[in-house]
Amino acid sequence: MKYKISLFLLFVFVLNSCQNEDEKRRAENEKEAKKNEVIFNKINKSWSFIDEPINEISEQKVNSWIEWRDFLNELRDKPRKTIGAFQKKSAAISKKAMALNTNIPPEFNIPQIRSRISILITKVRMMDLFIHLNQIPSEKVTFLIGEINKELVSLERQMDVVNVKSKIPKEEGEEDFLRMLDTARAIPNETTAPIPGKNIDPNTPKVE
C-alpha cells in the first residue's frame, strides 16, 4: 500500500513538473513571437527603396544597362507576411547589387561611378548580414535601408553629372593638348648622357 502511494505521489510530481515546463516553454514562445512581430513591423514599415530612376540619364540606362535595370526591379518587389520573406528578398537584392560591378557602360566606367557602386554594394550586403542574424537588430536594418536610398540618389546624380560633362564642347585645340599630355606622360624619363669634354691644348693661343 505504501509503495502504491509513493508511486502515485511520484507520478503526480512528474506530471506537475511537465506541466510547469510546458507552461514555461509556452510563455517563452509567446514572448519570442511578440518580439519577432515587433521586429517584423519595424522592418515592414521602413522597407521602401527608391526603385524608379530619379533623372533622365538613369532612366535611359534602364534600357541599355541590364544589371542596373534588374537591380531596380528587385528593389521594387516588397516582401510580405514573414521575416523569412524579407530575408529572402534581402539576399536577392544583395546578389543583384554585386552584379552592378559587371558590364558597366563605358561612359560610366570611371572612378567616380565605380566608387559609388562599391559603397552601395557594401551597404546592401551589410543589411543582408544583419537581417539574417538570429537576433535581428531591426534598428540597424532600418537605418541601412535609408543609407541605401541615399547611395542610390548619389549614384544617379553622378551619372547625370558625367552625362552633362560629356555634352560640354571642348575648346579648339583642347583635345590635341590633352593628347600631347598623354604622350608626354608615356615617354619614360631618360638620363641625358653627358657630353664628353674636349682635350684643350694649353698652348693654344687665346683670342682676347
Side-chain angles (χ1 to χ4, degrees):
M1 187 66 180
K2 290 182 179 180
Y3 173 75
K4 290 182 179 179
I5 294 173
S6 298
L7 187 61
F8 175 75
L9 292 174
L10 178 61
F11 175 74
V12 172
F13 174 77
V14 171
L15 182 62
N16 187 57
S17 297
C18 290
Q19 288 177 342
N20 290 337
E21 285 296 323
D22 288 342
E23 289 177 3
K24 183 179 179 181
R25 191 179 300 110
R26 188 161 45 249
E28 289 177 351
N29 289 340
E30 289 177 359
K31 183 179 179 181
E32 188 68 20
K34 288 181 180 179
K35 182 179 178 181
N36 289 337
E37 185 180 0
V38 170
I39 292 172
F40 172 83
N41 289 335
K42 285 183 179 179
I43 294 176
N44 184 53
K45 184 178 180 180
S46 301
W47 194 279
S48 179
F49 293 100
I50 299 175
D51 54 23
E52 293 291 340
I54 66 170
N55 51 39
E56 183 180 354
I57 187 62
S58 178
E59 186 175 3
Q60 291 172 3
K61 289 304 157 188
V62 168
N63 298 321
S64 58
W65 187 5
I66 296 174
E67 289 75 13
W68 176 245
R69 181 185 65 208
D70 290 348
F71 177 65
L72 292 181
N73 286 339
E74 198 66 58
L75 293 177
R76 188 169 297 119
D77 297 328
K78 183 177 180 178
R80 304 288 177 185
K81 296 182 179 179
T82 65
I83 196 67
F86 281 102
Q87 290 172 328
K88 184 177 180 181
K89 171 56 69 173
S90 177
I93 291 174
S94 181
K95 184 178 180 181
K96 296 295 184 183
M98 287 188 285
L100 291 174
N101 264 331
T102 60
N103 299 322
I104 301 175
E107 67 271 28
F108 292 152
N109 197 8
I110 57 176
Q112 296 91 327
I113 295 291
R114 289 198 303 268
S115 64
R116 283 168 173 78
I117 291 175
S118 295
I119 295 171
L120 176 62
I121 291 173
T122 298
K123 294 189 175 180
V124 169
R125 295 188 70 182
M126 286 176 64
M127 180 190 71
D128 188 42
L129 171 65
F130 285 129
I131 204 171
H132 278 91
L133 294 176
N134 291 330
Q135 299 294 326
I136 301 174
S138 56
E139 293 80 7
K140 290 184 178 180
V141 174
T142 56
F143 172 76
L144 283 165
I145 290 172
E147 289 296 297
I148 290 168
N149 281 327
K150 288 180 183 178
E151 296 307 327
L152 280 167
V153 171
S154 176
L155 174 57
E156 294 187 52
R157 283 178 176 169
Q158 187 61 44
M159 289 182 189
D160 202 41
V161 169
V162 171
N163 182 62
V164 170
K165 285 184 177 180
S166 69
K167 293 180 179 179
I168 298 175
K170 291 183 172 61
E171 295 183 5
E172 185 178 354
E174 183 177 351
E175 290 187 1
D176 293 337
F177 177 70
L178 292 174
R179 278 197 296 270
M180 288 174 59
L181 286 178
D182 290 338
T183 304
R185 293 191 190 101
I187 298 175
N189 291 328
E190 296 180 357
T191 304
T192 305
I195 300 174
K198 296 181 180 180
N199 294 327
I200 301 174
D201 187 350
N203 296 323
T204 303
K206 298 179 181 180
V207 179
E208 297 294 339

